[in-house]
Amino acid sequence: MTVRTDESHSTPDLSSRDPNWWRQAVIYQIYPRSFADADGDGFGDLRGATQRLTHLAALGVDALWLSPFYPSELADGGYDVEDYRDVDPRLGTLGDFGALVAEAHRLGLKVLVDLVPNHTSHRHAWFQEALSAGPGSPARDRYVFRDGRGEHGELPPTDWQSVFGGSAWRRVPDGQWYLHLFTPQQPDLNWANEEVRADFRTTLRFWSDRGVDGFRIDVAHALAKDLDEPLRDLGAPWVRGEAALARFAPGEHPFYDRDEVHEIYRDWRKILDAYSPPRMAVAEAWVPGARRALYARPDELGQAFNFEYLQTHWDAGELRRVITGALADAAAAGASATWVLSNHDVVRHASRLMLPPGTDANAWLLSGGHAPAVDEAAGLRRARAATLLMLALPGSAYLYQGEELGLPEVADLPTEVLQDPVWEQTGHVRKGRDGCRVPLPWTTTGPSYGFGPGGAWLPQPPGFAAYAVEAQDGVEGSTLELYRTALKLRRKLLGGESLTWADDVPEGVLQFDRTSGWRCVANLSGAPVRLPAGEVLLSSAPLEEDGRLGPDTTVWLGL
């Protein structure tokens, strides 16, 4: 079935050439406020992104993913959404969005948008209505409101904690409390409410009708919650992420990864499949591999991010185990695997991969990146090797803006410029994610290195000039040219969604063959190793003079 669209905003749907384009695609994440600024206000915008889409086409990616561009007060970098079917005026208009999609499709690029279904902004019309309507009202039932504990209701309903620190409950003037698993400006929606479900069905259709090819689903594992009375405490000590899930039987945590969440995505899949071609989706679900695969089933979202790979140390044994497990989980779900090294929430991998195992990343950020110190050149070498390894794997690779330039984490941002709510909400205990969100350098000079005609909303270090697109474009051996060459070659080499490991390799070496007749060898050890037979197609760093593969180097070989 083909869904009709309003001709005023329809765009060519180039993905019809291959409805399964996403299974082994390379998708580039744009964090709009830090990508390109067209109007000079210091914030990136949609027109700026549109003007720079030729960079993505030249890079050789298949699609772009836009992090939230919706109206927002930026309490959490745009993930506090005031209106799911509009554009923040600081970033542009719906017309600007249409122009971006049209230009992307003209260049052969697909477009994914971020969807944030777990919570709205506290400025959302629904939440403002809930505050005015009072306890027991239908408006409050769209969210999670509860009476407090204690003699006068002065205590939170449960001991649940926010991901960003402190209680996950905030009291309102009439005495009730509302749930916010993130900032207080992000009240959680009640997904047991049919009005909530219907509104998101409308949102899926709204953007699909405007030519969007897919969706990235934020906090996909938290929508369904056990809200039966009495609500359950979790007990001390409070832990986050997968460690929190480990304390419960699968599907039994009060608000993470509950079995009921899959009913929501099966309902969404019916909508996504009503389009020709079907819209794709990928889940952000911080859950163990076997549980993550459930979100990626063909009758649900189709893909799920593999964060175990991102979190794995630069260790051959660990990486092989994680890769093998991820491929098996994806195959069992009928999905393709996903790989990612950096995104808007983590320390950039050019810095992170150099931190010794066991390093507290937050303590490192609080030290300004000095304890321990990270050798930028060594970090870049390792990052290039890690990228070439990732791009050789079967499945989809998600790239984060700026990693094609080799950007390191800006760990020494002064505290007075920090924007991430984590900094304030934790009482200045956790520095937050601003260091990976610093605006991109496009040129070697200018007030924001070409990001825009004026300054940038986060200060860029002087060293960014050497990483700029202008400094690397056409320069043999640059990180930008490595990415361009790798992505062009990858398209020619793709075939099948499996690999075969070689076992007779030196310690610290990963080697596997792809079914289409090529081989990847990654040397994660501290010493050069001899290469197996094959034609060198691409190497992340020059080979040793005697032809051996140096430390922290990956090579692709033709067989």
Side-chain angles (χ1 to χ4, degrees), residues 437-457:
R437 301 177 179 183
V438 175
L440 297 191
W442 294 92
T443 61
T444 58
T445 59
S448 61
Y449 301 110
F451 167 66
W457 67 281

Side-chain angles (χ1 to χ4, degrees), residues 320-336:
R320 177 166 171 168
R321 176 184 58 77
V322 167
I323 291 167
T324 300
L327 289 172
D329 289 337
S336 61

Side-chain angles (χ1 to χ4, degrees), residues 372-449:
V374 170
D375 182 327
E376 278 196 14
L380 180 57
R381 180 185 178 102
R382 186 168 287 183
R384 288 162 58 106
T387 295
L388 215 55
L389 170 62
M390 177 181 74
L391 292 176
L393 296 170
S396 292
Y398 286 78
L399 310 180
Y400 179 51
Q401 64 177 41
E403 70 170 80
E404 78 277 16
L405 306 178
L407 291 183
E409 183 80 359
V410 184
D412 59 354
L413 285 171
T415 56
E416 61 268 20
V417 306
L418 297 181
Q419 305 285 323
D420 192 343
V422 169
W423 175 243
E424 292 296 336
Q425 198 160 324
T426 61
H428 301 176
V429 171
R430 291 165 55 199
K431 194 170 184 180
R433 302 159 292 177
D434 290 311
C436 66
R437 301 177 179 183
V438 175
L440 297 191
W442 294 92
T443 61
T444 58
T445 59
S448 61
Y449 301 110

Side-chain angles (χ1 to χ4, degrees), residues 170-186:
R170 171 64 63 95
R171 201 175 193 189
V172 299
D174 60 35
Q176 278 203 313
W177 299 72
Y178 69 86
L179 178 67
H180 61 88
L181 291 182
F182 293 86
T183 71
Q185 294 85 3
Q186 293 168 288

Side-chain angles (χ1 to χ4, degrees), residues 296-542:
R297 289 177 290 192
D299 65 340
E300 295 193 31
L301 296 176
Q303 271 195 340
F305 283 126
N306 172 12
F307 294 117
E308 289 172 86
Y309 184 74
L310 181 152
Q311 296 170 316
T312 304
H313 298 124
W314 189 240
D315 176 89
E318 282 190 54
L319 280 168
R320 177 166 171 168
R321 176 184 58 77
V322 167
I323 291 167
T324 300
L327 289 172
D329 289 337
S336 61
T338 64
W339 315 104
V340 60
L341 285 167
S342 286
N343 63 34
H344 64 291
D345 282 334
V346 299
V347 172
R348 285 187 176 273
H349 68 276
S351 299
R352 188 186 71 249
L353 290 175
M354 291 304 297
L355 297 177
T359 300
D360 183 327
N362 181 62
W364 179 75
L365 288 171
L366 289 172
S367 77
H370 301 301
V374 170
D375 182 327
E376 278 196 14
L380 180 57
R381 180 185 178 102
R382 186 168 287 183
R384 288 162 58 106
T387 295
L388 215 55
L389 170 62
M390 177 181 74
L391 292 176
L393 296 170
S396 292
Y398 286 78
L399 310 180
Y400 179 51
Q401 64 177 41
E403 70 170 80
E404 78 277 16
L405 306 178
L407 291 183
E409 183 80 359
V410 184
D412 59 354
L413 285 171
T415 56
E416 61 268 20
V417 306
L418 297 181
Q419 305 285 323
D420 192 343
V422 169
W423 175 243
E424 292 296 336
Q425 198 160 324
T426 61
H428 301 176
V429 171
R430 291 165 55 199
K431 194 170 184 180
R433 302 159 292 177
D434 290 311
C436 66
R437 301 177 179 183
V438 175
L440 297 191
W442 294 92
T443 61
T444 58
T445 59
S448 61
Y449 301 110
F451 167 66
W457 67 281
L458 282 172
Q460 302 150 300
F464 261 30
Y467 291 96
V469 173
E470 182 182 49
Q472 300 191 49
D473 185 25
V475 176
E476 186 177 355
S478 70
T479 301
L480 176 58
E481 293 300 334
L482 174 69
Y483 270 73
R484 287 173 174 170
T485 303
L487 293 179
K488 182 178 180 180
L489 187 57
R490 183 180 184 273
R491 285 193 177 188
K492 296 179 180 178
L493 296 173
L494 279 183
E497 293 185 15
S498 62
L499 57 76
T500 302
W501 292 106
D503 293 320
D504 55 341
V505 295
E507 185 176 355
V509 171
L510 289 173
Q511 180 179 318
F512 57 83
D513 292 352
R514 295 292 304 272
T515 55
S516 45
W518 60 296
R519 172 175 292 160
C520 177
V521 185
N523 182 9
L524 284 67
S525 75
V529 297
R530 295 201 176 279
L531 280 173
E535 176 193 1
V536 175
L537 303 175
L538 184 62
S539 181
S540 64

Side-chain angles (χ1 to χ4, degrees), residues 541-554:
L543 300 181
E544 303 286 304
E545 290 185 3
D546 59 3
R548 291 186 298 170
L549 187 67
D552 291 343
T553 307
T554 299

